[in-house]
Amino acid sequence: DDTTDKVDIVNLSLGQDYLGAYFSAAALAVENVFALGVIPVVSAGNSGNIPYVLGHISGTFNALSVGATQRPFAPMVAAAFSSRGPGDFRNQIKPELSAPGQSLVLASG
């Protein structure tokens, strides 16, 4: 067995209210996995365009926060439901990136 291979990234899309975010068990887990060298990628949340309101673990300092866009093609705009930040901790910019998350058409077979 090759034990040198390890998890490099974790992807989380969890919903919980923002209040009390930084000291919840999930938020502390995100910080702990970052300390182990794993990149936590977290959905920004579904609170829309309300300043300083992100999904609670998305607002943690070391989470890579991802917002949703409305369309997969230009012009790309933030989805109405997608949280926009900024983060409350040191007023950091959150989400750090956005990707298509609404009105997607997928092929299935």
Side-chain angles (χ1 to χ4, degrees):
D1 291 322
D2 181 6
T3 59
T4 59
D5 192 21
K6 65 179 182 72
V7 173
D8 297 310
I9 298 171
V10 293
N11 181 32
L12 303 166
S13 183
L14 306 171
Q16 183 174 344
D17 291 338
Y18 170 78
L19 299 174
Y22 303 114
F23 302 106
S24 71
L28 294 174
V30 165
E31 294 300 322
N32 287 337
V33 297
F34 181 81
L36 294 171
V38 178
I39 300 169
V41 179
V42 183
S43 64
N46 298 328
S47 297
N49 195 18
I50 302 171
Y52 298 100
V53 178
L54 293 165
H56 81 291
I57 58 175
S58 179
T60 59
F61 188 69
N62 289 306
L64 178 61
S65 178
V66 181
T69 60
Q70 247 178 339
R71 299 182 56 177
F73 305 107
M76 278 211 205
V77 295
F81 64 84
S82 187
S83 297
R84 292 164 175 78
D88 193 35
F89 187 74
R90 298 183 193 166
N91 211 24
Q92 80 273 33
I93 296 172
K94 295 277 185 173
E96 284 90 354
L97 60 101
S98 293
Q102 180 180 2
S103 303
L104 300 176
V105 178
L106 305 173
S108 64

